[in-house]
Amino acid sequence: MNTPNGTSTRPRERTAVRRLRHDAGERPMIVIWEVTRACALVCQHCRADAQTRRDPAELTTQQGKALLDDIAGYGAPYPIVVLTGGDPFERPDLAQLVEHGTSLGLHMALSPSVTPRLQPQILRELRAAGAATLSLSIDGAAAATHDAFRGVPGVFEQTMTAARWVKEAGFRLQVNSTVTRGNVHELPELLRLVLGLQTSLWSIFFLVPTGRGQQLQALSAGEVEDVLNWMYDISDRLAVKATEAPHYRRVTLQRKEAEATGRTIEHGPLYERLRAQTEAVLAQTPTRTRPPRPPIDVNSGRGFSFIDHRGQVYPSGFLPQQCGSVTEHGFRAIYRDNPLLRSLREPSGFAGKCGVCEFNEVCGGSRSHAYAITGDLLASDPTCAYRPAALDSLPERPGHTVA
Ligand code: SF4
């Protein structure tokens, strides 16, 4: 019997979704810290609506070190701390922050923009300071698509060069790709690209219509379902991660169950197109298959948290709901006690189908999409096409619709 939360004692089910080994209400597994909002790029989908200059109110070096001290206070297993922006390379004290976090036992990762600041020398310094993983954004398989996303001509070619430098400096390379209606058809060619770059993890981000991203066209729920199923198909070629689409865990469990029982799953036309193109790509790009990396069970405010450049804590970078300032209350106290964060850890309190879904303990829906589209962060996730059977027994009221 396959359980929705992947906690069954049968080996196949136990590994379908990775559960945290600690209490997600007590400590996060990943903390994203926006060390600055300054950035030289003008990306169309920028969450931060990044600025050209640093904000004088951003956390100082000492405040940043105190924040890292606070996070390290959890002890082992230490959270992963991702330094993002804006462009974190805009901060001259970046290596100091990385070195301090590493000395405390934290796993430090970087998410820079590709600008002239990203050079082999600074990469070597940051690697020596202890950062082990670095992510680069690639949003199109062709220069025209990526450069249009980033707002700067030539940045695609610079990113290819930067990816080589990142590998030469000894980092694990993560590639982040934002998927929209405008580039979804390029996913098979993007797969060819990220395989060629020897990417350790490919994070496919499902556009949240917030910040400058409101101008782009997000996928429909049916299209998201097709892309998630396509991701499941390619997960034996490289490690993939669905960002802001926690229902990838539901898809994974359903696909495992279908494989075990022989049940057929109906897919949409987008899936069929992506699958046909991917077969052609893989025929020309031979790669070894590998055991899929199971998706991990974290969600906004539940194993995951975001701190902005001024030290305000949020459930995620795409959920503009302030939960408190790290300089006033400390990160750990906010993460554990904030009522809004606590409510995000209780999926039975979500409205509509996410509240009654048999997968809600392991999924819970994208709270960022729910908030951006409905204005209610506890609403159903409108980007999920799944219709739980229990939905039919709910009384009709707002928030109980599928879409
Ligand atoms: S209905 Fe909600 S909880 Fe269920 S799979 Fe969809 S997004 Fe996840």
Side-chain angles (χ1 to χ4, degrees):
M1 177 75 188
N2 203 359
T3 64
N5 61 12
T7 55
S8 162
T9 52
R10 285 169 57 177
R12 181 180 59 252
E13 292 151 358
R14 202 167 48 223
T15 56
V17 172
R18 283 180 297 156
R19 307 304 301 262
L20 293 184
R21 282 176 293 159
H22 60 264
D23 177 3
E26 186 255 334
R27 71 170 74 192
M29 179 194 162
I30 302 175
V31 179
I32 312 285
W33 174 22
E34 174 196 68
V35 291
T36 182
R37 211 166 251 198
C39 181
L41 298 183
V42 281
C43 303
Q44 285 186 42
H45 58 306
C46 184
R47 161 200 57 75
D49 198 7
Q51 310 298 313
T52 50
R53 290 169 194 268
R54 290 176 62 195
D55 180 351
E58 70 189 26
L59 293 183
T60 64
T61 306
Q62 285 317 309
Q63 288 171 323
K65 286 183 176 178
L67 168 61
L68 295 171
D69 289 340
D70 187 13
I71 296 172
Y74 283 122
Y78 294 101
I80 299 165
V81 178
V82 182
L83 305 185
T84 187
D87 179 13
F89 280 33
E90 292 274 343
R91 276 193 74 133
D93 58 354
L94 187 61
Q96 269 188 68
L97 295 172
V98 168
E99 192 164 31
H100 188 72
T102 304
S103 73
L104 297 168
L106 298 171
H107 307 285
M108 304 297 290
L110 297 161
S111 181
S113 306
V114 175
T115 76
R117 290 187 185 277
L118 201 161
Q119 294 291 331
Q121 178 60 27
I122 180 75
L123 286 170
R124 285 194 289 271
E125 284 172 25
L126 290 163
R127 181 73 190 97
T133 302
L134 188 146
S135 61
L136 295 177
S137 293
I138 306 178
D139 300 313
T145 317
H146 181 75
D147 291 357
F149 246 82
R150 298 282 141 189
V152 177
V155 76
F156 178 82
E157 286 306 326
Q158 291 163 18
T159 303
M160 296 302 111
T161 304
R164 199 179 70 240
W165 291 341
V166 167
K167 297 291 290 186
E168 286 170 358
F171 284 96
R172 281 193 299 273
L173 173 65
Q174 174 177 329
V175 170
N176 301 331
S177 301
T178 297
V179 64
T180 70
R181 283 230 168 112
N183 68 357
V184 66
H185 57 283
E186 293 186 27
L187 282 174
E189 285 300 327
L190 259 173
L191 171 65
R192 187 204 304 271
L193 191 73
V194 295
L195 285 171
L197 294 174
Q198 296 174 318
T199 306
S200 298
L201 177 65
W202 189 16
S203 173
I204 297 183
F205 172 76
F206 291 80
L207 180 79
V208 178
T210 187
R212 289 201 285 261
Q214 289 175 66
Q215 298 153 20
L216 296 171
Q217 273 205 306
L219 302 181
S220 68
E223 290 165 337
V224 170
E225 191 77 4
D226 281 353
V227 173
L228 294 177
N229 274 280
W230 175 80
M231 288 176 63
Y232 178 83
D233 289 352
I234 64 160
S235 65
D236 65 352
R237 302 293 171 146
L238 84 169
V240 291
K241 174 173 177 279
T243 302
E244 292 301 346
H247 35 305
Y248 180 57
R249 300 192 281 272
R250 185 255 304 158
V251 166
T252 297
L253 291 166
Q254 288 175 317
R255 291 288 298 270
K256 295 271 183 213
E257 186 264 346
E259 285 166 9
T261 61
R263 184 171 66 88
T264 304
I265 294 181
E266 296 291 324
H267 299 294
L270 175 61
Y271 171 84
E272 300 300 345
R273 271 202 310 278
L274 292 174
R275 194 178 68 160
Q277 290 166 5
T278 301
E279 279 173 11
V281 163
L282 292 176
Q284 297 160 1
T285 317
T287 52
R288 271 191 297 207
T289 55
R290 41 162 286 159
R293 172 184 183 269
I296 192 150
D297 178 22
V298 299
N299 207 344
S300 299
R302 179 165 63 81
F304 183 95
S305 190
F306 179 87
I307 303 164
D308 80 1
H309 63 297
R310 294 183 174 200
Q312 284 289 338
V313 176
Y314 300 79
S316 93
F318 299 93
L319 253 179
Q321 298 275 322
Q322 292 185 354
C323 299
S325 166
V326 298
T327 56
E328 287 175 40
H329 307 291
F331 174 77
R332 283 186 291 158
I334 296 168
Y335 180 82
R336 186 187 59 232
D337 298 332
N338 178 268
L340 187 146
L341 294 175
R342 290 171 73 100
S343 71
L344 292 173
R345 298 170 198 145
E346 298 293 339
S348 60
F350 297 163
K353 65 178 185 177
C354 287
V356 297
C357 177
E358 66 271 34
F359 293 98
N360 68 7
E361 290 281 340
V362 75
C363 169
S366 165
R367 299 295 99 218
S368 304
H369 276 111
Y371 183 77
I373 296 169
T374 73
D376 177 2
L377 84 170
L378 300 183
S380 280
D381 179 351
T383 67
C384 174
Y386 183 62
R387 184 179 176 88
L391 190 66
D392 294 330
S393 56
L394 281 179
E396 270 299 320
R397 62 176 199 265
H400 283 189
T401 52
V402 172

